[in-house]
Amino acid sequence: MLYTASIGAGEPSRIGFIVSKAVGNAVTRNLVKRRLREAGALSLHTHGTGLAVVVRALPAAASASWEQLLSDYNAALAVTTKRLSGSAPRSASTEHNGTTTEGTPRA
């Protein structure tokens, strides 16, 4: 699973990893984490600024090859960055037709 959020355009991208005990023992978790770090480092060449990325390794990552893990990482990053760039910012307005967001009339 990969989550992406935009941060300031001039700020360097940040990548965090979550590898729980469900992935495997300490040796397996560290292997998965090292592989994910390398995949993240490779992606910084194209997304060097403006992104905050969180990668949550699923148990299947323990048995995945490096090529499969890299392919899955790149595909998930492409989907989330495309979704992020296509989303419109939410309105900060809390008023709708003279009512509050809960639907109660304004006093």
Side-chain angles (χ1 to χ4, degrees), residues 23-88:
V23 174
N25 63 17
V27 173
T28 303
R29 291 192 310 268
N30 286 328
L31 175 66
V32 169
K33 197 182 325 178
R34 283 193 309 272
R35 287 178 173 178
L36 288 173
R37 272 194 209 129
E38 182 61 25
L42 293 172
S43 70
L44 287 178
H45 294 294
T46 56
H47 303 289
T49 59
L51 287 180
V53 179
V54 176
V55 180
R56 181 174 180 254
L58 299 176
S63 60
S65 68
W66 160 245
E67 291 80 18
Q68 182 64 38
L69 200 61
L70 182 61
S71 172
D72 289 348
Y73 175 89
N74 288 333
L77 184 63
V79 168
T80 58
T81 54
K82 183 178 178 183
R83 188 177 303 150
L84 188 63
S85 66
S87 65

